[in-house]
Amino acid sequence: MTECQSRKILKVLPHNAELSILWLMHKALALIVIAWMNYGFFTYAMPYVPNYVRYGCYFSWLGLALTANKRFLNTFVVRLWPLFLFYIYLIFIFLFIDSDLMLYIKSMTYLIMVYSIFLYYFNDKGKKFQKLLCAFLLLDCIAVGINTYFKLQINPMLVRYLSTGMETRERLLGSEVFYGVANYGYSYALVSIILLLGFLFLSYRKGNLLIFLLIFAFTALLFQASYTIAILFTFIFLTLLFVLKYSNKYTFVAITLIGVMTLLIFQDMFALIFYQLADIKGISDEVSIRFKEIAYFFSGINMSGTDLNARLNLYSQSMDAFANNILIGVIDSSAYSAGCSPGMHSSWLDLLAQFGLFSIPFFVFLFKAYKYCKNRVPKNFRPFVNVYWLYFILLGFVNTLLFANIFTIWFLFLPMVIKSLQPHTNT
């Protein structure tokens, strides 16, 4: 169809029809961007959709958003200014200092894209599209999970290999490309979806059988994928949700204090528990080894040469780098370095080590995003908001989470599910 023909059609159409076409185009662009960010089955299309087309879809969406809603620009700037500040700093460093920051720059770019779409549709007027987005992301997640399960029957270590660096991946898997298979970001985002399902299971009677089956299937997939930290966090935070549901805040504080004291006093008991977990038949060798390392930690056994010990050393290295370069970090230092840059073992510690106090705007953004979400969801969902945000914050201390598909679930899917479930919010 030529441009002239398109104009003739638009002239024939009533004004409302023109608006409807733009409205549909706008939502279609948002779906394309979110499908890209979620890195699920859209990976099949990525080789045929160049980067400039994908970014073009986002900027076209943004242009239409700013045109359609005059107040959105104010919301966009007010909510994202700390992240913009950090982003500009990254670009400045990248241009004038010899340092490889492309992974950080890409991560912040993806976060801006995901969060801007969230801001535009996170309101009472967009319930239908919120439900569409949430349904799409959940179906994409389920489809990737099913595909991953069958791939893991062929190669049980596939997901872990796909989460390594490119050189290691090519050495272990060759040049084969795997589309629609869970990666690191998918697996750790999946934990928060399991927590959402757990909260719904405890809070609502409707659809409990389906919710239970999804919790079981997703948890089984985590075991298959051999992500030990994800498995531990799943059970720890599901337990936390259960305690929060059946206790008041004072009881919860008392239980937490008792739990911490028990952990400190009965370390040998916890060591024995993890030794027993490591010997369970059916779990992968990778998970078994990690459970044994945790048991060594509680037992006080020398962990030299273990992965857990290596991680602790990296955390210590990042903390030492930050302590000696508090203002600007190690970005231009030869004496110190982050434990594993960029953010490969502890996003928060590596950010502080890498950029010092200049990373503070990023953490200001996180705090503002948390408050914005919590203040705009129903009161009965606010405890869950606290739980899933606590999960991601703790994950950022012990592992990395600066991935587009984690941003999609953390900043868009979870709050939109909450918003779409209850038409009238009590803020």
Side-chain angles (χ1 to χ4, degrees), residues 187-238:
S187 300
Y188 280 91
L190 187 62
V191 175
S192 63
I193 296 177
I194 294 172
L195 297 180
L196 172 64
L197 293 170
F199 180 82
L200 295 177
F201 183 83
L202 293 171
S203 303
Y204 298 92
R205 293 182 180 179
K206 188 178 179 181
N208 266 2
L209 178 59
L210 176 60
I211 291 172
F212 177 79
L213 290 175
L214 284 173
I215 291 172
F216 178 81
F218 285 153
T219 305
L221 183 62
L222 288 180
F223 273 97
Q224 284 272 316
S226 301
Y227 279 114
T228 313
I229 295 176
I231 295 166
L232 289 173
F233 273 164
T234 298
F235 286 100
I236 289 170
F237 281 93
L238 282 176

Side-chain angles (χ1 to χ4, degrees), residues 166-178:
M166 286 301 299
E167 292 183 6
T168 305
R169 185 189 310 177
E170 289 181 2
R171 190 178 74 250
L172 296 170
L173 299 173
S175 58
E176 185 177 357
V177 180
F178 296 88

